[in-house]
Amino acid sequence: IKGSENNSKAAEAELKAHLLDLADKYKDSPYSVEILDYLVDLDSSPRTVTLARKAVARHSNYPRINALRNFLKRIDQKRQNQMRKS
């Protein structure tokens, strides 16, 4: 269908924005980890990384916090590799 790719990208952008807003709104709740876990599969923007780092610090004992820790490790490894190439 003509234009469906643009619609899909627009829907994904809207979803990312909504999830970022939810993660920020519920940052003091351990359930923000669940929101961020879904979000990191879609987005690795600086805002997402910052929210993930804050969630790991705030909710370190949450049972599924390792999902965010693993995401942050991957991000840090990518940055280190990019710095080495430069």
Side-chain angles (χ1 to χ4, degrees):
I1 300 174
K2 188 175 181 180
S4 63
E5 185 175 322
N6 289 338
N7 290 340
S8 176
K9 288 181 181 182
E12 185 174 314
E14 188 176 336
L15 176 61
K16 287 178 192 179
H18 186 63
L19 289 171
L20 280 166
D21 289 343
L22 284 173
D24 196 38
K25 180 177 180 179
Y26 294 107
K27 64 186 174 208
D28 293 327
S29 168
Y31 298 116
S32 65
V33 173
E34 300 298 333
I35 297 165
L36 287 165
D37 184 34
Y38 188 81
L39 179 61
V40 299
D41 288 337
L42 302 172
D43 182 49
S44 59
S45 69
R47 183 174 173 201
T48 299
V49 172
T50 298
L51 286 171
R53 288 192 195 286
K54 288 179 179 180
V56 167
R58 277 191 191 108
H59 311 295
S60 61
N61 293 324
Y62 188 73
R64 292 182 18 87
I65 199 67
N66 283 337
L68 294 184
R69 286 187 179 125
N70 291 336
F71 164 74
L72 293 170
K73 283 181 188 177
R74 287 192 308 271
I75 292 294
D76 291 341
Q77 287 173 346
K78 283 182 186 178
R79 286 185 180 159
Q80 287 175 357
N81 290 338
Q82 288 174 346
M83 288 173 55
R84 286 183 191 143
K85 290 179 182 177
S86 298

